Amino acid sequence: MVERPPLDEDRRLAYLEAMGVSVWEPRASLPVSAEPLVVEPASVAAATDMPTATAPVAREVPPAVVDERPVTAERSVSPEIVSPPESMSFPLPDWEEEADYSPALLDEWEAMGHPPTTEAEAVNPIERMDWNTLGATVRGCRACRLWETRTKTVFGTGDRRADLMIIGEAPGAEEDSQGEPFVGRAGQLLTRMLAAIGFSREQVYIANVLKCRPPGNRDPKPDEALACQAYLHRQVALIEPRVILSVGRISAQHLLKTETPVGQLRGRWFDYGPARIPLRVTYHPAYLLRSPEQKAKAWEDLTEVKRRL
Ligand code: URA
């Protein structure tokens, strides 16, 4: 007879399932491993664009494998928050830090907008545009050279009155061809991460720092991010989300005007923009696909976001 795992094991498996890790599969059929969880230094991240974790992380033996099957209704998880198991949790700060509000960021908000690149923009500045005009302006945008190589602009998707806004980096190949953010593999993981805290994609608003794909998925250049930022500012101002979740280094560093690595920006609240919207930073789902051992930390970030909403 198969021995039942303890409750904590159930919770851990539920979380890993939400994160697309395939250990959920043998849950019903395999005996629970007698191997204990081991704590060892995190392996060096495969990614060169992300900070290497130095904190010890708990990982199972053998390491979990990313589940590459498409997301299906059966695999969606309960909207309830599943507490992270003790073995995978990291200490959460028990303080709410005073906002780290940079005067430089406020200056930049005041000087919103790039020089008009279309006639419509000349008579109707971005910061006063409604959704329709903003969308049309983005579709015709030539404020930087990315228009030359894009297939479609990727404006944003979801509920325009959402409480939670997700801000990523830039469209990849899939997004460029479909015109929708986060629809590739990383996007599927993001969808599962949101489901784990009880949100569908339709209930949040998802956008990127850049509306056009940088060729070959290279990092956005600073001038491209600046040329595009008025659109994002306007989206934020129209939505007025209660919380912003910034995913990945490019997004976090652009929004917070810093070069601090993501690993050091996580775990605290920032205020964003003149409306001082609470903003939380987490790892990019593409990074989590390469470094699944960091998913426990992303879970901490998501539960904090859920708690705040
Ligand atoms: N990565 C992002 O940051 N945004 C997307 O839309 C897709 C992948």
Side-chain angles (χ1 to χ4, degrees), residues 67-133:
D67 180 4
E68 308 221 17
R69 290 169 308 162
V71 187
T72 64
E74 299 84 80
R75 295 182 58 219
S76 69
V77 293
S78 145
E80 295 299 312
I81 288 192
V82 186
S83 304
E86 283 303 310
S87 59
M88 292 182 76
S89 69
F90 287 74
L92 286 178
D94 55 5
W95 36 258
E96 289 244 327
E97 194 169 288
E98 201 36 41
D100 178 12
Y101 198 69
S102 130
L105 189 56
L106 187 54
D107 287 350
E108 219 175 295
W109 271 83
E110 276 169 6
M112 273 191 341
H114 54 241
T117 57
T118 63
E119 211 174 304
E121 227 182 287
V123 292
N124 188 8
I126 295 172
E127 65 265 31
R128 291 208 295 271
M129 284 182 182
D130 62 16
W131 279 108
N132 284 345
T133 323

Side-chain angles (χ1 to χ4, degrees), residues 40-47 51-55 57 59 287 290-294:
E40 63 175 32
S43 58
V44 175
T52 301
T54 49
V57 295
R59 81 166 173 80
Y287 171 68
R290 299 190 297 262
S291 305
E293 74 278 2
Q294 302 289 12

